[in-house]
Amino acid sequence: MLGVILEGKVEEYFLPRMIQEVTGQDTVPIGDCVLSTKDTCIGTEICAELWNPRSPHIEMGLDGVEIFTNSSASHHELRKADQRVNLIKSATSKSGGIYLYANQRGCDGDRVYYDGCAMVAINGDVVAQGAQFSLNDVEVITATADLEDVRSYRGELCQPHMQSETKPCHRVKVDFSLSTGDDLYLPTHQPITWHFHTPEEEISLGPACWLWDYLRRSGQAGFLLPLSGGVDSSSTACIVHSMCVLLCQAVQDG
């Protein structure tokens, strides 16, 4: 449904009566809009929009949106993590902002594997990194970022180059804040250097994680590994060995 929302199109949707009784409201806006809280403004992109040459974060950033979220379903390809990191760093270095990126992990019964790589970036720097290959179903990463860093970055580096007129985003005002007065004393996370796996590690870990997730979800007891002595069976045996190493390590880690 998100894929067919028209750019800038927002309409009022009448809520079912049972929800009206709980929330005390009759309608809710739905469409292409951003959330305006008491202390910041939040916009979102869907998976493929990050790769688009006219990504929504460009217009949103020019219109004052400070936090961008992306709940992605980006499958693993060799060296694709490099592209993701570069795109997100570029998205926040051009006009400032905080980018929260989450990606699916595991397989859903087909031949592709989703490899995670969750991250938090601010003003062109990554400040928190999730694992690319892991047997954990769920991973949560956190980071503390200062909104004033975004505003000063935009004022110092971006303001002279910003357009004088932009198409305004439809704002939905919400009656809450993401921060409190006590947050002023929290130390912010500093930039980190992203740890990239080598191509050989990706070839070993990606298929190994896919094998385990497929086995777990199918409910089977194990795999049958025929060995002919050729290159194909030898490569498969190495991948199965990599899966077993990951699984044993996960068991040791609890």
Side-chain angles (χ1 to χ4, degrees):
M1 184 174 181
L2 288 176
V4 297
I5 291 178
L6 298 178
E7 182 179 357
K9 178 70 174 179
V10 180
E11 63 182 43
E12 289 293 319
Y13 174 76
F14 278 91
L15 293 169
R17 185 174 301 170
M18 61 184 296
I19 298 181
Q20 292 180 19
E21 294 173 353
V22 174
T23 63
Q25 63 189 82
D26 297 328
T27 63
V28 63
I30 185 170
D32 182 18
C33 48
V34 298
L35 294 180
S36 182
T37 69
K38 291 183 176 181
D39 54 352
T40 186
C41 192
I42 309 167
T44 186
E45 294 183 317
I46 61 175
C47 178
E49 290 178 332
L50 174 63
W51 305 77
N52 193 299
R54 294 185 61 184
S55 299
H57 68 254
I58 298 174
E59 290 293 329
M60 289 191 292
L62 292 173
D63 193 40
V65 177
E66 296 175 328
I67 300 176
F68 313 100
T69 68
N70 191 328
S71 299
S72 185
S74 179
H75 63 274
H76 171 250
E77 291 178 0
L78 198 62
R79 313 316 290 163
K80 193 175 183 181
D82 301 60
Q83 295 176 284
R84 292 193 196 111
V85 173
N86 289 334
L87 283 171
I88 291 173
K89 291 173 67 175
S90 174
T92 57
S93 64
K94 288 181 293 186
S95 61
I98 300 170
Y99 206 105
L100 312 178
Y101 179 82
N103 188 31
Q104 185 177 338
R105 173 179 291 162
C107 73
D108 54 4
D110 53 17
R111 295 179 178 229
V112 297
Y113 176 74
Y114 301 92
D115 55 341
C117 285
M119 71 186 85
V120 178
I122 177 173
N123 298 341
D125 293 316
V126 176
V127 294
Q129 171 188 356
Q132 183 176 10
F133 302 108
S134 173
L135 302 188
N136 295 326
D137 294 339
V138 178
E139 179 187 37
V140 178
I141 63 170
T142 60
T144 302
D146 191 345
L147 291 170
E148 292 300 328
D149 289 340
V150 175
R151 293 158 189 165
S152 61
Y153 181 91
R154 288 179 170 178
E156 180 181 359
L157 300 178
C158 305
Q159 192 63 36
H161 309 288
M162 284 189 168
Q163 300 176 14
S164 57
E165 294 184 7
T166 60
K167 183 178 179 180
C169 302
H170 181 92
R171 280 168 162 75
V172 177
K173 295 182 179 180
V174 291
D175 190 24
F176 63 80
S177 301
L178 295 184
S179 59
T180 66
D182 295 336
D183 293 343
L184 295 173
Y185 306 101
L186 293 175
T188 58
H189 282 63
Q190 299 304 305
I192 62 173
T193 300
W194 187 279
H195 169 70
F196 289 105
H197 291 285
T198 64
E200 293 79 9
E201 288 175 329
E202 288 194 50
I203 293 171
S204 171
L205 296 173
C209 290
W210 181 92
L211 279 176
W212 166 249
D213 206 58
Y214 190 91
L215 181 65
R216 177 182 64 85
R217 293 174 65 118
S218 66
Q220 302 301 307
F223 291 111
L224 175 64
L225 178 61
L227 295 175
S228 65
V231 174
D232 291 343
S233 62
S234 300
S235 300
T236 305
C238 290
I239 293 172
V240 173
H241 170 72
S242 178
M243 179 196 72
C244 295
V245 171
L246 286 172
L247 184 59
C248 290
Q249 185 62 51
V251 172
Q252 291 178 9
D253 294 340

